[in-house]
């Protein structure tokens, strides 16, 4: 994902963590530093973002 965004993986991880901190919920299920999937709030946010992108 980092290559597609022209940034480093650590930069992407920091932005995800910052977003989670701002929202006050964890969006991803993690094992150590690995993402395993979405949490229930992450799934809800994905649905909202997909709808926003379709409307744009």
């Amino acid at each position: 994902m980092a290559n597609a965004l022209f940034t480093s993986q650590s930069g992407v991880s920091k932005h995800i963590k910052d977003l989670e901190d701002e929202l006050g919920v964890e969006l991803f299920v993690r094992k150590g530093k690995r993402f395993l999937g979405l949490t229930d709030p992450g799934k809800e946010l994905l649905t909202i973002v997909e709808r926003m992108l379709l409307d744009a």
Side-chain angles (χ1 to χ4, degrees):
M1 179 180 353
N3 289 338
L5 299 173
F6 303 104
T7 188
S8 66
Q9 185 60 45
S10 61
V12 172
S13 295
K14 182 186 179 325
H15 287 297
I16 291 171
K17 184 64 178 140
D18 288 346
L19 177 61
E20 289 178 324
D21 290 345
E22 186 174 329
L23 296 174
V25 295
E26 288 188 358
L27 301 173
F28 292 93
V29 176
R30 295 177 174 84
K31 183 173 184 178
K33 292 185 177 187
R34 297 189 61 156
F35 292 124
L36 300 179
L38 291 170
T39 62
D40 287 339
K43 291 174 186 174
E44 289 179 41
L45 182 62
L46 178 61
T47 300
I48 293 167
V49 169
E50 287 175 332
R51 196 172 333 130
M52 290 171 63
L53 290 172
L54 285 173
D55 290 344

